[in-house]
Amino acid sequence: MLLDFEAGEYATFAQIKKDGGQVIKGEKSHVVCGWIVEDKKVLDKNGKAVLDDDGEEIYKKTFALRYYRVFNILTQVTGLKPKHDWTQPVEVKPEEIQNEVELIESAEAIVKKYIESADAPKLEIKPSNEAYYMLARDLVVVPKPEQFIGINEYYGTLFHELTHSTGKETRCNRKSDKKAAFGNEEYSKEELVAEIGSCFLSSTCGLSSETTLRNNVAYLQSWLSVLKDDPKMIVYASIQAEKACEYILNA
């Protein structure tokens, strides 16, 4: 998301050297953020493990942000070849469009836990041409799964709207006093947060693919352009998305 959306594959200097490649002299690295997701034991104020009703230790997911400097294997490195042909667009084949879909258990578990938590938004999954979160009614609405090209797209949209719902004051309190009119700075920031949150949750469920990743990046690029392609906005949005995902996963 910080690479000016230049197609290709990236690796650190150490990774390139280990695989027998060499960075072209004079090439400058690009900064990216990497997220480390861990299950950490919940401790009380005395440092002892907190137990659930069955006497088992309780864990919660945490996200740690790391920075890396990377080079584009296509344009900045010799001696290595990319794994994919990034010059070819990703197309959805007609046979990939599903009329009957099978729900993903890991994704359903995340949705169910959040929606059934004490302070949760209402969720409506119904025939619709729109997906949205309505703050006034604290309501998330998404079309039925079979209306999407694939199940990954359905969960990506659902996770996007659920991430929006965490901005409510009683949750992550992300709403600004400024009016978030469509397309303005506040609206664009929130769209970045929601889409990155969707990426995180989809990745947690193992739903990410080359197609969905490119769709995510294209969507993020469209809103980042409103914010004058400021890389700091991606970092800001990533931090807010981290908090949103932790809230959803630990609800």
Side-chain angles (χ1 to χ4, degrees):
M1 301 173 190
L2 295 175
L3 300 175
D4 296 327
F5 308 100
E6 181 182 348
E9 297 170 17
Y10 292 77
T12 64
F13 183 88
Q15 290 171 324
I16 292 167
K17 184 177 180 181
K18 180 181 177 181
D19 288 343
Q22 185 174 353
V23 176
I24 298 172
K25 186 176 181 180
E27 291 291 338
K28 295 183 179 180
S29 62
H30 307 270
V31 176
V32 295
C33 300
W35 292 91
I36 298 175
V37 183
E38 295 180 323
D39 288 320
K40 285 196 173 181
K41 190 183 300 184
V42 178
L43 304 176
D44 61 20
K45 61 182 180 180
N46 297 317
K48 294 183 178 180
V50 177
L51 305 180
D52 60 19
D53 294 338
D54 297 323
E56 300 291 332
E57 295 178 341
I58 298 175
Y59 289 80
K60 71 174 183 177
K61 287 191 179 297
T62 61
F63 296 81
L65 182 63
R66 296 289 183 268
Y67 293 93
Y68 302 89
R69 290 191 172 273
V70 295
F71 298 87
N72 190 326
I73 293 175
L74 273 174
T75 60
Q76 297 182 295
V77 176
T78 58
L80 288 181
K81 291 183 178 181
K83 296 179 179 179
H84 303 281
D85 183 359
W86 290 88
T87 63
Q88 299 300 316
V90 175
E91 297 181 358
V92 177
K93 300 177 182 179
E95 59 267 26
E96 293 177 350
I97 299 177
Q98 304 174 33
N99 292 320
E100 294 184 7
V101 295
E102 183 176 346
L103 300 179
I104 307 299
E105 185 177 346
S106 57
E108 286 296 306
I110 289 176
V111 175
K112 184 175 186 292
K113 183 181 179 184
Y114 177 48
I115 293 301
E116 293 182 356
S117 61
D119 180 24
K122 297 181 287 292
L123 173 62
E124 291 184 6
I125 301 172
K126 62 183 183 179
S128 172
N129 292 323
E130 294 182 302
Y132 56 87
Y133 168 65
M134 186 184 296
L135 177 61
R137 295 177 57 194
D138 197 18
L139 172 67
V140 170
V141 174
V142 294
K144 294 176 71 66
E146 53 266 31
Q147 292 183 253
F148 291 82
I149 289 176
I151 196 65
N152 287 15
E153 285 68 26
Y154 163 69
Y155 283 114
T157 300
L158 177 54
F159 288 152
H160 180 103
E161 301 306 333
L162 291 180
T163 302
H164 273 314
S165 75
T166 64
K168 189 170 180 283
E169 184 178 12
T170 58
R171 296 173 193 135
C172 295
N173 193 23
R174 203 168 51 248
K175 298 301 177 183
S176 169
D177 291 334
K178 299 179 181 179
K179 186 179 180 181
F182 180 83
N184 74 1
E185 182 173 311
E186 292 303 314
Y187 190 101
S188 302
K189 286 180 182 179
E190 178 61 18
E191 285 303 308
L192 290 177
V193 173
E195 190 65 8
I196 295 173
S198 175
C199 292
F200 288 169
L201 294 173
S202 293
S203 180
T204 299
C205 300
L207 299 179
S208 297
S209 68
E210 185 177 320
T211 303
T212 56
L213 177 60
R214 289 195 181 194
N215 289 340
N216 293 144
V217 170
Y219 188 86
L220 290 167
Q221 182 182 17
S222 68
W223 288 110
L224 189 59
S225 65
V226 178
L227 300 170
K228 300 179 181 179
D229 295 317
D230 184 354
K232 291 183 293 186
M233 291 300 178
I234 285 289
V235 177
Y236 159 83
S238 295
I239 292 171
Q240 298 304 316
E242 170 199 353
K243 294 177 181 178
C245 290
E246 285 192 338
Y247 186 91
I248 290 172
L249 292 170
N250 298 309

